[in-house]
Amino acid sequence: MSVSSKRIRRTLGVLAAPLPVLVLALPVAHAATAPTRTAFAGTATPHLASDAVRTGSVAADAQVPLEISLKPRDQAGLDAFLREVSDPASPQYKHYLTVPQYAAAYGATDAQIAEVTKYLKAQGLSVGAATANHLTLSASGSAAKVEKAFGVQLGTWHTAGRDVFANTTAPTLPTDIASVVSGVAGLSNASLRTAANHVDNQAAPHAGTVLTPTKARGGYNLSSSISAGDNGSGQTVGLVEFSAYSASAVAGYNSKYGLGAPTASVVKVDGGTTDTSGSVEDELDIEVINALAPKANVKVYEAPNSDAGEVALYAALVSADVPVISSSWGEPENQENNLSSDDADFKEAAAQGQSVFAASGDSGATDDGSTLSVDYPASDPYVSGVGGTDLTVSSSNAWSSETGWSGSGGGQSDKWSTPSFQTPVNSSGHREVPDVSAAGGDSSPWYIDADGSWTDVWGTSAAAPNWAAFAADYNTAAGKAGKAKFGYANSFIYTVARSSAYSSAFHDIKSGNNGGYNAGTGYDEVTGWGSYNGAKFIAAEL
């Protein structure tokens, strides 16, 4: 018992006889000042592997960076808007919102932001300004203050060769604060995103259709479009990256093929990252965009590979209203800690007409390595999951054939039900992925400059930026024609795929499997609707 608590008890004892009414009132007053707290849904110790060994507790003075996600307002109104903006028969079709319009209609109010900020500061945490969309707050403080603010304990573990920390109980907040908060990222650093690529370390490309800019443009019928100036000019593609990269490698690729692409710029989110372990992924993403949309501006959004970094990165992308986004990083859907927070950002992206593409994973139908499962964020309904194929081109570099790659991630989500755009081709009751596909198999790798060494790289992480580049090319053509941009990609893709334009705008891939599902006519869980036929797709829609 502390000295102060002993002093209080002695004082109450003296007062007890002459002032019995006060003695009765004091406990009641004390109970009224203790707010009830609400726990957030989720695991107490986020997705620790079975080999995890508890090693202790986080030092009380260790600094912990956090990202606080706020609940969007008027979900029913937002859903109604998305139905209208996605319906070709509606006068609202593709009339998207700006970030300020979204924030005013659906973001947290200034009063709500102020309320959460006041609470966090009262707990001794430093709090940054809200993001432009009014959905995310950055905060930081010592482990001791974070534990107190969120009613948790932060333990340490050793797992898979790493020392990690995680909350041992579900976080809580006073109920009035919890009513406007949807998630807290940063209470654990156990979760890592991985890049969906494979590198063949050899000096010369191997046999098969090894993709250079010329072969890829020919295979996907972009040569004439790019020559005509529909080359990504005036467009920005934002890349999701959790690693730094070699700018000289990208410069080497552009120089070898005479692409004349603008130099990519880096946007550091949540402090950025100095980790270069995934540099080949960054370089692949940038070089594929440069090859297929050579005049597009590429912005590389770099963040720490952590839950907090992921939340901050997506919040930054939607707050900046980047027209086209590509992510080649993911993890099994059932291991993701930020589903609710990220989904709110992806939903905002749809409302703002941002096209978001993500690699569907390279583990076929068993993304978690053992059970039928899918990769995230490709599985989110507001993200277009991109599967992998083996592409063959002719001697004149025209599309010849395409087969579903065995590693193409695909299947059924166990987190989201069938979205409305997928209902006509999906009776499973679950969101299915991928939505589309492009070259990603080992028989049609990209030949790139990876950290100064030329090598073959493949995976669905080559397919996602392929579609992002095409969306940028489409947007250039649409701007010249005075038409609407690609926009919310799943809405547009499924509209085109279910129209008479499908047979010309897409390559329907009818063969191949991923160990759980087979490719076939029309939509399937290996290749989605298939790959795009660039010039014909643009001609059909513009």
Side-chain angles (χ1 to χ4, degrees):
M1 180 180 293
S2 68
V3 173
S4 58
S5 62
K6 289 181 178 179
R7 184 177 300 119
I8 291 171
R9 290 194 175 189
R10 280 200 299 270
T11 303
L12 292 177
V14 171
L15 293 174
L19 296 171
V21 174
L22 290 178
V23 172
L24 293 175
L26 281 171
V28 174
H30 176 73
T33 62
T36 57
R37 297 179 70 93
T38 298
F40 293 100
T43 54
T45 54
H47 308 296
L48 291 172
S50 58
D51 70 344
V53 177
R54 180 69 183 267
T55 56
S57 300
V58 175
D61 59 352
Q63 290 297 299
V64 180
L66 304 170
E67 296 292 330
I68 316 301
S69 297
L70 307 177
K71 293 180 181 178
R73 287 177 292 139
D74 190 13
Q75 287 283 3
L78 178 56
D79 290 341
F81 173 78
L82 285 171
R83 286 193 295 271
E84 291 293 310
V85 82
S86 301
D87 182 1
S90 169
Q92 288 295 110
Y93 183 56
K94 288 198 173 187
H95 289 181
Y96 296 110
L97 299 177
T98 64
V99 175
Q101 288 171 334
Y102 177 89
Y106 307 113
T109 65
D110 290 340
Q112 289 172 329
I113 292 170
E115 181 182 20
V116 175
T117 300
K118 180 180 178 181
Y119 170 78
L120 295 173
K121 286 184 174 180
Q123 304 304 303
L125 304 184
S126 299
V127 185
T131 49
N133 63 347
H134 284 200
L135 287 185
T136 308
L137 287 168
S138 294
S140 64
S142 68
K145 291 178 179 178
V146 166
E147 288 177 327
K148 180 176 179 291
F150 294 97
V152 297
Q153 290 183 334
L154 301 179
T156 58
W157 282 262
H158 186 79
T159 177
R162 300 170 56 223
D163 292 316
V164 302
F165 71 87
N167 47 303
T168 60
T169 55
T172 66
L173 283 171
T175 301
D176 57 337
I177 303 298
S179 67
V180 297
V181 174
S182 62
V184 180
L187 298 177
S188 167
N189 68 350
S191 178
L192 287 177
R193 290 114 204 103
T194 58
N197 69 50
H198 304 266
V199 180
D200 189 359
N201 293 311
Q202 57 183 39
H206 60 51
T209 299
V210 180
L211 296 177
T212 62
T214 298
K215 287 189 176 182
R217 290 174 185 176
Y220 291 114
N221 197 11
L222 286 175
S223 298
S224 60
S225 297
I226 289 175
S227 297
D230 301 334
N231 52 18
S233 177
Q235 301 302 309
T236 298
V237 178
L239 299 178
V240 173
E241 306 293 357
F242 297 102
S243 175
Y245 69 98
S246 167
S248 62
V250 176
Y253 184 85
N254 288 337
S255 176
K256 178 179 177 69
Y257 294 113
L259 300 177
T263 302
S265 60
V266 175
V267 180
K268 293 186 177 183
V269 180
D270 204 18
T273 181
T274 57
D275 179 19
T276 59
S277 61
S279 58
V280 173
E281 182 55 60
D282 297 40
E283 291 148 12
L284 173 66
D285 291 343
I286 300 168
E287 291 171 24
V288 169
I289 299 294
N290 288 172
L292 300 177
K295 298 304 178 184
N297 294 306
V298 177
K299 290 189 175 181
V300 184
Y301 281 69
E302 292 181 355
N305 192 343
S306 65
D307 288 347
E310 179 184 69
V311 169
L313 196 155
Y314 287 126
L317 282 164
V318 294
S319 291
D321 201 6
V322 178
V324 182
I325 298 168
S326 178
S327 173
S328 294
W329 297 76
E331 63 182 328
E333 180 187 66
N334 53 22
Q335 296 177 17
E336 173 61 42
N337 297 321
N338 298 326
L339 290 173
S340 175
S341 303
D342 291 349
D343 182 64
D345 285 333
F346 295 139
K347 198 170 188 178
E348 177 188 349
Q352 294 173 179
Q354 296 172 271
S355 306
V356 185
F357 300 94
S360 69
D362 290 1
S363 299
T366 54
D367 195 73
D368 65 5
S370 59
T371 62
L372 289 176
S373 51
V374 294
D375 202 62
Y376 177 87
S379 64
D380 189 282
Y382 301 100
V383 174
S384 296
V386 187
T389 67
D390 284 312
L391 169 69
T392 301
V393 299
S394 68
S395 58
S396 60
N397 294 324
W399 187 92
S400 178
S401 65
E402 213 162 354
T403 303
W405 176 46
S406 60
S408 179
Q412 300 176 2
S413 167
D414 64 3
K415 301 299 182 183
W416 283 286
S417 59
T418 303
S420 59
F421 61 79
Q422 209 171 51
T423 301
V425 294
N426 174 358
S427 60
S428 70
H430 300 266
R431 155 75 164 138
E432 294 181 353
V433 287
D435 299 293
V436 289
S437 54
D442 55 352
S443 292
S444 51
W446 282 78
Y447 189 51
I448 72 164
D449 189 327
D451 292 338
S453 298
W454 286 87
T455 187
D456 294 342
V457 181
W458 66 94
T460 57
S461 63
N466 188 327
W467 265 90
F470 171 60
D473 292 340
Y474 181 95
N475 287 348
T476 300
K480 290 163 60 177
K483 298 294 184 65
K485 63 183 179 180
F486 205 95
Y488 168 30
N490 277 342
S491 166
F492 187 40
I493 286 167
Y494 281 76
T495 297
V496 175
R498 294 177 55 237
S499 74
S500 60
Y502 176 59
S503 60
S504 61
F506 283 84
H507 302 120
D508 185 7
I509 302 164
K510 302 176 182 179
S511 62
N513 70 82
N514 63 3
Y517 304 91
N518 295 314
T521 301
Y523 178 83
D524 58 70
E525 296 97 329
V526 182
T527 66
W529 286 107
S531 62
Y532 64 86
N533 183 326
K536 290 187 177 181
F537 192 118
I538 291 172
E541 296 306 311
L542 299 179

